[in-house]
Short mmCIF file of all heavy atoms in Angstrom, two decimals:
data_model
loop_
_atom_site.label_atom_id
_atom_site.label_comp_id
_atom_site.label_asym_id
_atom_site.label_seq_id
_atom_site.Cartn_x
_atom_site.Cartn_y
_atom_site.Cartn_z
N LEU A 161 -6.78 -3.01 -5.77
CA LEU A 161 -7.00 -3.68 -4.48
C LEU A 161 -8.42 -4.23 -4.35
O LEU A 161 -8.61 -5.32 -3.79
CB LEU A 161 -6.68 -2.72 -3.33
CG LEU A 161 -5.24 -2.16 -3.31
CD1 LEU A 161 -5.08 -1.12 -2.21
CD2 LEU A 161 -4.22 -3.28 -3.13
N VAL A 162 -9.38 -3.50 -4.87
CA VAL A 162 -10.78 -3.93 -4.72
C VAL A 162 -11.25 -4.72 -5.95
O VAL A 162 -11.67 -5.87 -5.84
CB VAL A 162 -11.70 -2.70 -4.51
CG1 VAL A 162 -13.16 -3.13 -4.39
CG2 VAL A 162 -11.28 -1.92 -3.26
N ASP A 163 -11.17 -4.09 -7.12
CA ASP A 163 -11.78 -4.71 -8.31
C ASP A 163 -10.97 -5.90 -8.82
O ASP A 163 -11.54 -6.88 -9.29
CB ASP A 163 -11.93 -3.67 -9.44
CG ASP A 163 -12.81 -2.51 -8.99
OD1 ASP A 163 -13.71 -2.74 -8.17
OD2 ASP A 163 -12.57 -1.38 -9.45
N MET A 164 -9.65 -5.83 -8.72
CA MET A 164 -8.85 -6.97 -9.23
C MET A 164 -8.60 -8.01 -8.14
O MET A 164 -8.75 -9.20 -8.36
CB MET A 164 -7.51 -6.48 -9.79
CG MET A 164 -7.66 -5.63 -11.05
SD MET A 164 -6.13 -4.82 -11.52
CE MET A 164 -5.16 -6.19 -12.09
N TRP A 165 -8.22 -7.58 -6.95
CA TRP A 165 -7.81 -8.54 -5.91
C TRP A 165 -8.95 -8.92 -4.97
O TRP A 165 -8.84 -9.88 -4.22
CB TRP A 165 -6.62 -7.98 -5.12
CG TRP A 165 -5.37 -7.86 -5.97
CD1 TRP A 165 -5.24 -8.21 -7.30
CD2 TRP A 165 -4.10 -7.36 -5.57
NE1 TRP A 165 -3.97 -7.96 -7.73
CE2 TRP A 165 -3.24 -7.44 -6.70
CE3 TRP A 165 -3.59 -6.85 -4.39
CZ2 TRP A 165 -1.90 -7.03 -6.66
CZ3 TRP A 165 -2.26 -6.44 -4.34
CH2 TRP A 165 -1.42 -6.52 -5.47
N GLY A 166 -10.03 -8.14 -4.99
CA GLY A 166 -11.22 -8.52 -4.21
C GLY A 166 -11.20 -8.10 -2.76
O GLY A 166 -12.06 -8.53 -1.97
N LEU A 167 -10.25 -7.26 -2.37
CA LEU A 167 -10.16 -6.87 -0.95
C LEU A 167 -11.32 -5.98 -0.54
O LEU A 167 -11.88 -5.24 -1.36
CB LEU A 167 -8.83 -6.13 -0.72
CG LEU A 167 -7.58 -6.99 -0.87
CD1 LEU A 167 -6.32 -6.12 -0.96
CD2 LEU A 167 -7.46 -7.96 0.30
N GLU A 168 -11.65 -6.07 0.75
CA GLU A 168 -12.67 -5.18 1.32
C GLU A 168 -11.88 -4.01 1.92
O GLU A 168 -11.21 -4.17 2.93
CB GLU A 168 -13.40 -5.96 2.41
CG GLU A 168 -14.67 -5.32 2.86
CD GLU A 168 -15.24 -6.12 4.02
OE1 GLU A 168 -15.60 -7.30 3.81
OE2 GLU A 168 -15.27 -5.57 5.12
N LEU A 169 -11.92 -2.87 1.26
CA LEU A 169 -10.95 -1.80 1.53
C LEU A 169 -11.52 -0.63 2.33
O LEU A 169 -12.60 -0.13 2.04
CB LEU A 169 -10.41 -1.26 0.20
CG LEU A 169 -9.22 -0.32 0.27
CD1 LEU A 169 -7.97 -1.05 0.74
CD2 LEU A 169 -8.96 0.34 -1.08
N GLU A 170 -10.74 -0.20 3.33
CA GLU A 170 -10.99 1.07 4.03
C GLU A 170 -9.80 1.97 3.72
O GLU A 170 -8.66 1.51 3.74
CB GLU A 170 -11.04 0.88 5.54
CG GLU A 170 -12.17 0.01 6.03
CD GLU A 170 -13.51 0.74 6.07
OE1 GLU A 170 -13.54 1.97 5.84
OE2 GLU A 170 -14.51 0.06 6.32
N ILE A 171 -10.08 3.24 3.45
CA ILE A 171 -8.99 4.17 3.15
C ILE A 171 -8.85 5.18 4.29
O ILE A 171 -9.84 5.77 4.73
CB ILE A 171 -9.23 4.90 1.81
CG1 ILE A 171 -9.41 3.88 0.68
CG2 ILE A 171 -8.06 5.83 1.49
CD1 ILE A 171 -9.58 4.46 -0.70
N ILE A 172 -7.63 5.35 4.78
CA ILE A 172 -7.35 6.31 5.85
C ILE A 172 -6.43 7.37 5.25
O ILE A 172 -5.29 7.08 4.86
CB ILE A 172 -6.65 5.62 7.04
CG1 ILE A 172 -7.52 4.45 7.55
CG2 ILE A 172 -6.38 6.62 8.16
CD1 ILE A 172 -6.78 3.50 8.48
N GLU A 173 -6.96 8.60 5.16
CA GLU A 173 -6.22 9.63 4.41
C GLU A 173 -5.72 10.75 5.31
O GLU A 173 -6.42 11.18 6.22
CB GLU A 173 -7.16 10.29 3.39
CG GLU A 173 -7.71 9.33 2.37
CD GLU A 173 -8.74 10.01 1.47
OE1 GLU A 173 -9.79 10.45 1.99
OE2 GLU A 173 -8.49 10.10 0.28
N SER A 174 -4.52 11.23 5.03
CA SER A 174 -4.03 12.49 5.63
C SER A 174 -3.69 13.40 4.46
O SER A 174 -2.93 13.01 3.58
CB SER A 174 -2.75 12.28 6.42
OG SER A 174 -2.92 11.29 7.39
N GLU A 175 -4.24 14.61 4.50
CA GLU A 175 -3.90 15.58 3.45
C GLU A 175 -3.16 16.75 4.08
O GLU A 175 -3.08 16.89 5.29
CB GLU A 175 -5.16 16.05 2.74
CG GLU A 175 -5.72 14.99 1.79
CD GLU A 175 -6.60 15.58 0.70
OE1 GLU A 175 -7.41 16.47 0.98
OE2 GLU A 175 -6.48 15.11 -0.44
N LEU A 176 -2.59 17.60 3.24
CA LEU A 176 -1.89 18.82 3.66
C LEU A 176 -0.66 18.52 4.53
O LEU A 176 -0.27 19.32 5.37
CB LEU A 176 -2.85 19.74 4.43
CG LEU A 176 -4.10 20.20 3.66
CD1 LEU A 176 -5.08 20.89 4.61
CD2 LEU A 176 -3.72 21.13 2.52
N THR A 177 -0.04 17.37 4.31
CA THR A 177 1.10 17.01 5.17
C THR A 177 2.32 17.91 4.92
O THR A 177 3.23 17.92 5.74
CB THR A 177 1.51 15.53 4.99
OG1 THR A 177 2.00 15.37 3.66
CG2 THR A 177 0.36 14.57 5.24
N LEU A 178 2.32 18.66 3.82
CA LEU A 178 3.45 19.57 3.56
C LEU A 178 3.24 20.94 4.21
O LEU A 178 4.14 21.79 4.16
CB LEU A 178 3.66 19.74 2.05
CG LEU A 178 4.29 18.55 1.31
CD1 LEU A 178 4.36 18.82 -0.20
CD2 LEU A 178 5.70 18.26 1.83
N ALA A 179 2.06 21.16 4.82
CA ALA A 179 1.77 22.50 5.37
C ALA A 179 2.81 22.93 6.40
O ALA A 179 3.23 24.09 6.44
CB ALA A 179 0.37 22.52 5.98
N GLU A 180 3.24 21.99 7.23
CA GLU A 180 4.17 22.30 8.32
C GLU A 180 5.50 22.85 7.80
O GLU A 180 6.13 23.67 8.46
CB GLU A 180 4.39 21.02 9.13
CG GLU A 180 4.89 21.20 10.53
CD GLU A 180 4.07 22.20 11.35
OE1 GLU A 180 2.82 22.10 11.41
OE2 GLU A 180 4.70 23.11 11.89
N VAL A 181 5.93 22.42 6.64
CA VAL A 181 7.27 22.81 6.13
C VAL A 181 7.20 23.75 4.92
O VAL A 181 8.22 24.07 4.32
CB VAL A 181 8.10 21.55 5.75
CG1 VAL A 181 8.44 20.73 6.98
CG2 VAL A 181 7.39 20.71 4.70
N THR A 182 5.97 24.17 4.55
CA THR A 182 5.83 25.02 3.36
C THR A 182 5.27 26.38 3.79
O THR A 182 4.09 26.46 4.18
CB THR A 182 4.87 24.35 2.34
OG1 THR A 182 5.34 23.03 2.09
CG2 THR A 182 4.80 25.11 1.03
N PRO A 183 6.10 27.44 3.73
CA PRO A 183 5.62 28.75 4.20
C PRO A 183 4.30 29.18 3.54
O PRO A 183 3.42 29.72 4.22
CB PRO A 183 6.77 29.70 3.83
CG PRO A 183 7.98 28.81 3.81
CD PRO A 183 7.50 27.46 3.33
#
Side-chain angles (χ1 to χ4, degrees):
L161 301 174
V162 178
D163 300 329
M164 292 170 72
W165 294 359
L167 293 166
E168 195 185 296
L169 190 68
E170 296 282 353
I171 304 183
I172 304 166
E173 299 174 297
S174 305
E175 286 202 318
L176 301 170
T177 65
L178 286 176
E180 201 51 51
V181 294
T182 307

